[in-house]
Amino acid sequence: MTNTKQTILTGIRVNGEMTLGNHLGALLPMVRLANKHSVNSNINIFVPDLHTIISDIDGTLQANLIKSIKYYLAAGLKLNQNVHIYRQSYIPAHSELAWILNCFATMGEVSRMIQYKEKGEGKDSTNVGIFDYPVLMAADILLYDARYVPVGEDQFQHLELTRDLAERFNHRAGREVFVLPAPTAEQAKFMGANDGIRIRDLQNPERKMSKSAAAENSKIMLSDTPEAAAKKVMSATTDSVNKVQFDMSNQPGISNLLQILSLLQGIPLATVTAEWAGVTQYGEFKAAVAEEVKAFLADFQARVAEISDREVLDILEESEAEVSKIAQAKLLEVQKVVGLR
Ligand code: TYM
């Protein structure tokens, strides 16, 4: 069984709860693209559970995993025979291909990955998984010939690595065993963004909004009560320019709130920015963003509550039976190239 249709693929780790950054940077773009393209493209959405245990082994994985699938459904993902939703560890070919790709990746290039540099470089106690996780990510993508991989900007470097590994392997094989994912500029365009999406930390808008941030009011979690989330928006760091305008270098806080408003409303950033042009009171602007976040969470959480665990497990089991055939066929092709079969 081979892939003849174009494949669009993504995954979100399930370490704890998801943030509004995960939602706006990855989940929502994927759902919009899936609904637009699932008539004639394969849509692969998977839970990178093997990536999750790199940092947390705490007994919450199963519950978070089920919840993450409910999030896609609550965000409006429409299911049909081309939409596959699966767990990474249930398809052993991911781990096996990652090992083979390890033998094509160099210490130099993997050491240059920013997430490793930020989280683990130079510490003897860093687990090897943190170092190697981009290679497993490459395997996740290349197994299914995915051309488009909707992710936030922080993952673009991993997509470039994936392209490099695919190219190197194809060169070795002397033919196109792997489809190269599109270059990152094309990925952003495909997602409907000018650049990669990066939602900022509310307190420290120089940084991305991250689930591992220590300060609670720096991040909005999808499980926050709508009222608590609105308060976090009201207390977001701004600046003393006193102009609502999009200028990420000089006004990252205000620009971040404009970005959030635009993505939640599904209205282009330029239109939202034009609507607020000339406003000099941040209070009024923040209140509007807070109201939008509050309404979004109330509606989203009500939808999540309507989906049962059984419904999710049925979807997973059916998809896993199907995609494992595709993954296994690709793995066999790769094993032949390196002489394992
Ligand atoms: P992860 O789990 O850290 O993040 C999941 C997705 O959310 C995006 N994201 C953001 N987007 C905008 N603003 C933010 N503040 C923000 N924070 C997170 C991330 O860019 C990502 O798209 N390695 C991946 C998971 C993965 C994967 C894959 C993704 C494993 N294999 C294969 C795609 C294809 C990760 O750790 O993302």
Side-chain angles (χ1 to χ4, degrees):
M1 189 171 175
T2 51
N3 263 334
T4 45
K5 291 190 214 94
Q6 166 178 278
T7 298
I8 307 170
L9 173 148
T10 205
I12 302 182
R13 277 179 304 137
V14 289
N15 299 88
E17 266 293 336
M18 280 190 209
T19 67
L20 188 65
N22 293 139
H23 181 80
L24 297 177
L27 207 134
L28 198 57
M30 184 63 182
V31 168
R32 287 183 180 151
L33 288 174
N35 290 346
K36 186 167 160 196
H37 294 280
S38 66
V39 175
N40 46 26
S41 300
N42 288 310
I43 308 296
N44 285 23
I45 293 176
F46 75 101
V47 181
D49 52 357
L50 294 168
H51 279 104
T52 299
I53 62 166
I54 288 168
S55 50
D56 294 328
I57 303 185
D58 60 6
T60 62
L61 199 155
Q62 292 303 320
N64 286 334
L65 186 156
I66 299 287
K67 201 182 309 165
S68 75
I69 304 301
K70 291 183 181 178
Y71 284 169
Y72 283 104
L73 299 173
L77 178 70
K78 296 199 184 79
L79 300 176
N80 70 26
Q81 77 284 356
N82 292 335
V83 180
H84 311 291
I85 308 181
Y86 53 97
R87 292 164 285 194
Q88 183 186 36
S89 75
Y90 279 67
I91 318 289
H94 288 247
S95 314
E96 294 186 35
L97 179 59
W99 179 258
I100 296 172
L101 291 176
N102 272 334
C103 304
F104 284 78
T106 68
M107 290 298 292
E109 66 190 344
V110 180
S111 304
R112 282 193 289 278
M113 296 295 116
I114 291 159
Q115 302 224 342
Y116 165 66
K117 286 171 97 76
E118 284 178 353
K119 290 191 183 142
E121 193 180 27
K123 288 186 240 157
D124 273 357
S125 58
T126 300
N127 75 56
V128 177
I130 288 179
F131 175 72
D132 200 31
Y133 115 137
V135 179
L136 176 58
M137 177 164 167
D140 300 334
I141 296 168
L142 298 177
L143 263 185
Y144 303 95
D145 289 336
R147 177 74 186 152
Y148 293 106
V149 185
V151 285
E153 187 203 41
D154 62 307
Q155 297 295 318
F156 279 10
Q157 197 188 19
H158 300 155
L159 290 184
E160 293 296 353
L161 174 71
T162 304
R163 284 169 54 83
D164 290 344
L165 292 177
E167 220 164 10
R168 202 170 300 153
F169 191 92
N170 287 347
H171 182 74
R172 176 66 189 243
R175 64 196 163 84
E176 200 193 6
V177 174
F178 293 129
V179 167
L180 262 60
T184 47
E186 194 184 323
Q187 301 278 356
K189 242 187 245 154
F190 186 73
M191 282 168 70
N194 293 331
D195 303 306
I197 296 170
R198 182 177 207 203
I199 302 301
R200 310 295 179 117
D201 181 302
L202 294 178
Q203 292 303 312
N204 184 357
E206 310 287 328
R207 306 168 63 111
K208 77 163 182 174
M209 182 183 285
S210 161
K211 46 190 143 194
S212 56
E216 272 309 313
N217 60 352
S218 66
K219 54 192 179 185
I220 292 173
M221 309 307 295
L222 294 182
S223 58
D224 279 350
T225 64
E227 294 70 26
K231 273 199 197 125
K232 291 181 184 178
V233 173
M234 292 309 289
S235 73
T237 300
T238 52
D239 52 63
S240 51
V241 179
N242 291 330
K243 265 191 195 158
V244 178
Q245 58 187 3
F246 192 83
D247 177 356
M248 208 37 112
S249 353
N250 299 310
Q251 296 181 256
I254 288 295
S255 304
N256 189 38
L257 295 179
L258 278 167
Q259 175 95 77
I260 291 173
L261 194 57
S262 144
L263 290 166
L264 282 179
Q265 293 182 329
I267 297 174
L269 186 58
T271 312
V272 173
T273 306
E275 273 172 21
W276 287 92
V279 173
T280 54
Q281 299 294 317
Y282 289 164
E284 186 194 340
F285 171 61
K286 278 176 152 182
V289 181
E291 205 40 54
E292 193 68 36
V293 168
K294 192 169 149 187
F296 156 71
L297 280 180
D299 176 60
F300 186 74
Q301 291 169 357
R303 289 180 202 215
V304 171
E306 280 171 14
I307 306 163
S308 74
D309 289 8
R310 189 63 255 171
E311 213 174 307
V312 171
L313 286 169
D314 286 345
I315 295 170
L316 289 169
E317 285 160 14
E318 193 180 317
S319 291
E320 282 153 9
E322 266 182 54
V323 299
S324 64
K325 292 181 219 153
I326 295 169
Q328 210 50 46
K330 179 65 78 183
L331 179 65
L332 180 60
E333 227 184 312
V334 170
Q335 287 170 324
K336 284 181 181 163
V337 171
V338 296
L340 289 166
R341 295 288 183 276

